[in-house]
Amino acid sequence: MTEVTMDKIVNLAKRRGFTFQSSEIYGGLASCWDYGPLGVELKRNVKNAWWRDMVQARDDIVGIDCSILMHPRVWEASGHLAGFSDPLVDCRECKARFRADHLATSPCPLKPSKMAGQFEKCDLTEARQFNLMFKTFMGPVEDTASVVYMRPETAQGIFVNFKNVQTTSRQKIPFGIAQVGKSFRNEITPGNFLFRTREFEQMEMEFFVKPGDDDQWFAYWTQARLDWYVKYGIRPANLRLRAHAADELAHYAKGCADVEYNFPIGWSELEGIANRTDFDLRRHAEFSGKDLRHFDEETREHYFPYVIEPAAGADRATLAFLVDAYDEDVVDGEPRTLLRLHPALAPMKAAVFPLMRKDGQPEKAGTVYDLLRQHFSVDYDQAGAIGRRYRRQDEIGTPYAITIDHQTMQDDTVTLRDRDSMEQVRLPIDRLVGELQQRLTAPLTRSSAVGR
Ligand code: GAP
């Protein structure tokens, strides 16, 4: 069984160009990450899989893409200005800051074997509320009249556009509006790589339902979201649902369940599914003076719909997919690191290698590469021994490797190697596209994957 640590994931991500520390040449900006050539493909594939399943494959959900900066009144109405805060404590001795509710798991910087507040020199202040929204100024004058906020969730753009979307898309309740985009939170204790950052991407969907139908839709979306992670390769043993206790609920929520993942830091929230009731639409109606009620043509009633919200993080999901795919094994006496990524998520779907750099093999491999890249994201590699080239692709999760060898030059066949089983089959070049299309869309089998 492979032990997966955050260090192993961070090292692989850096070594292979999945992620880089933001502004690294200036010493880095804490908890901000840039996605490199492979990381941007992986994260985009995660977002595309979500969008395909949540929007394109359904009749009852439509998409939206709202601006990050919104009218400041939005955040008054939503309750974020007054209530989106975490309890903060400072240590007068070491000057570090902690979340008061995370003290038990925050090591003391002066004595890391003890937790904050437990070392004899710790001198913590009383907890005070710290608002997590980033403020900035609109226009050239930095006064209070021009303050705007970087959105801390994408959801509010959806609520304020509820009527616009419903009337233009002619959706009837129940229906949903989905959005993928950046959110910003001035987290007191960010960290653990992509898990908690101050700038991150969310994949949120607000599903508007008739009051009274909300419990049933909450159950539906909780299960659907758990199943989604399994569909893209996360082992069920590493996923669980956790219902929030009443004192954990956000100010707008009647109920909430987290999809939790068994990260190397322990079981932690991957996605939250909340029953937001009619809180947001009611508040925006009150603060804007606009009627945001839905008119039910059958019953001739006006009402504020209830909202069920599955809210996922694209970066946190990317991290979970990386962690779950990470594996180590031994091949021919040599250690191998591999990412058993679902083909839909893998940054590269296939790699093409000429076995030798002579006898016309590179040219032939170039033709195969050009053929395949019209259909898939494909890599080409002719450097080094073939075994090393396989390892390099295994380590970035490429499901298939195609080798052009001596026999190819005679009969136009190639070998196709499977990343997980390492089995090779020989097939004609003109069947390659069809074979890959079929294999890449087949449901994932994890016969060779080991659990953590
Ligand atoms: N609209 C509801 C909402 O924003 P949330 O539980 O605060 O709910 C939803 O956020 C998801 O966004 C989380 O489950 C997590 O995946 C992601 N997320 C939240 N804060 C994050 C942060 N600081 N860094 C990375 N991802 C974050």
Side-chain angles (χ1 to χ4, degrees):
M1 197 180 285
T2 302
E3 194 206 351
V4 187
T5 63
M6 201 65 106
D7 275 352
K8 286 184 184 176
I9 299 295
V10 175
N11 287 340
L12 186 145
K14 165 96 207 252
R15 188 167 71 245
R16 299 308 313 273
F18 281 89
T19 57
F20 308 115
Q21 176 78 63
S22 163
S23 325
E24 195 180 77
I25 61 168
Y26 289 99
L29 184 65
S31 304
C32 292
W33 297 93
D34 297 338
Y35 286 83
L38 294 175
V40 68
E41 296 290 340
L42 173 62
K43 184 172 158 189
R44 180 170 297 152
N45 290 341
V46 170
K47 291 186 286 182
N48 285 348
W50 187 90
W51 194 261
R52 198 166 41 246
D53 291 342
M54 296 294 277
V55 181
Q56 293 169 341
R58 299 186 62 112
D59 292 332
D60 56 355
I61 302 182
V62 292
I64 196 167
D65 184 9
C66 306
S67 62
I68 287 171
L69 301 176
M70 300 178 73
H71 195 289
R73 291 273 284 164
V74 168
W75 308 111
E76 279 177 53
S78 69
H80 283 81
L81 252 188
F84 192 58
S85 50
D86 279 338
L88 168 76
V89 295
D90 290 292
C91 178
R92 295 184 191 93
E93 178 68 24
C94 71
K95 312 291 177 224
R97 295 191 146 172
F98 306 97
R99 258 176 75 164
D101 53 340
H102 285 183
L103 286 179
T105 52
S106 308
C108 164
L110 297 180
K111 193 160 178 72
S113 60
K114 300 220 167 195
M115 293 299 143
Q118 291 174 355
F119 179 42
E120 60 199 22
K121 290 195 174 165
C122 294
D123 183 9
L124 302 184
T125 60
E126 287 292 306
R128 66 177 197 281
Q129 289 301 320
F130 171 79
N131 194 294
L132 300 183
M133 282 200 295
F134 277 98
K135 255 186 217 169
T136 188
F137 299 92
M138 190 113 155
V141 188
E142 292 195 8
D143 61 17
T144 48
S146 57
V147 166
V148 288
Y149 299 90
M150 313 281 278
R151 66 180 177 199
E153 62 172 10
T154 62
Q156 296 304 325
I158 296 178
F159 294 129
V160 300
N161 278 296
F162 168 67
K163 275 273 153 122
N164 284 338
V165 173
Q166 198 194 6
T167 45
T168 52
S169 63
R170 292 183 294 122
Q171 287 284 344
K172 288 198 171 55
I173 293 227
F175 81 100
I177 307 176
Q179 172 159 222
V180 175
K182 290 252 172 161
S183 290
F184 301 82
R185 296 181 190 176
N186 200 359
E187 301 278 4
I188 298 170
T189 47
N192 290 314
F193 190 35
L194 304 174
F195 182 82
R196 184 172 281 109
T197 52
R198 293 190 170 112
E199 173 180 345
F200 53 96
E201 257 183 294
Q202 290 188 305
M203 309 185 288
E204 297 198 291
M205 195 274 291
E206 311 301 320
F207 201 73
F208 300 91
V209 305
K210 198 169 176 174
D213 291 350
D214 49 316
D215 290 339
Q216 169 200 331
W217 280 108
F218 178 72
Y220 168 87
W221 279 113
T222 306
Q223 189 59 44
R225 294 305 306 150
L226 184 77
D227 294 346
W228 186 81
Y229 291 98
V230 175
K231 176 178 173 188
Y232 289 98
I234 298 218
R235 277 159 285 190
N238 287 332
L239 287 169
R240 70 181 187 194
L241 284 171
R242 189 183 70 81
H244 280 211
D247 62 354
E248 276 181 276
L249 291 176
H251 58 275
Y252 48 72
K254 166 180 162 187
C256 187
D258 286 345
V259 177
E260 291 193 332
Y261 178 69
N262 186 14
F263 285 99
I265 51 170
W267 286 98
S268 310
E269 175 186 341
L270 177 56
E271 163 161 358
I273 299 101
N275 180 344
R276 293 184 77 127
T277 67
D278 57 4
F279 176 87
D280 300 273
L281 287 180
R282 257 184 204 283
R283 292 275 290 189
H284 286 304
E286 189 188 319
F287 278 65
S288 68
K290 301 287 186 303
D291 185 359
L292 298 182
R293 289 175 305 166
H294 168 72
F295 178 61
D296 187 324
E297 295 192 356
E298 272 171 31
T299 61
R300 317 298 295 166
E301 277 177 294
H302 285 92
Y303 66 84
F304 285 105
Y306 267 38
V307 173
I308 308 301
E309 173 195 69
D315 311 84
R316 212 175 271 188
T318 301
L319 176 61
F321 285 118
L322 269 177
V323 169
D324 218 75
Y326 185 93
D327 200 6
E328 293 165 355
D329 62 8
V330 176
V331 177
D332 299 332
E334 288 210 12
R336 167 172 94 132
T337 301
L338 72 162
L339 292 180
R340 298 184 190 273
L341 286 169
H342 188 289
L345 304 185
M348 294 290 157
K349 310 303 178 198
V352 179
F353 311 143
L355 184 61
M356 318 264 258
R357 291 169 78 166
K358 57 180 187 183
D359 299 338
Q361 290 182 20
E363 292 73 17
K364 189 75 179 172
T367 322
V368 173
Y369 176 50
D370 285 341
L371 168 77
L372 295 183
R373 62 210 278 226
Q374 292 172 39
H375 304 269
F376 322 101
S377 53
V378 184
D379 206 357
Y380 178 88
D381 189 359
Q382 59 175 30
I386 190 78
R388 280 183 165 267
R389 285 183 261 166
Y390 283 141
R391 297 296 169 277
R392 280 202 286 268
Q393 294 299 328
D394 291 343
E395 201 182 36
I396 62 168
T398 309
Y400 297 104
I402 292 130
T403 302
I404 280 71
D405 57 13
H406 181 65
Q407 194 177 329
T408 315
M409 306 313 290
Q410 291 165 359
D411 65 4
D412 253 10
T413 62
V414 293
T415 61
L416 178 68
R417 172 192 179 265
D418 179 290
R419 172 198 69 202
D420 295 335
S421 65
M422 290 183 289
E423 276 169 16
Q424 298 198 20
V425 292
R426 188 166 271 282
L427 77 169
I429 291 173
D430 61 10
R431 275 190 37 215
L432 209 43
V433 169
E435 179 71 21
L436 279 173
Q437 264 159 348
Q438 187 252 315
R439 287 182 180 229
L440 289 167
T441 50
L444 184 74
T445 55
R446 278 215 175 244
S447 52
S448 48
V450 286
R452 282 190 293 125

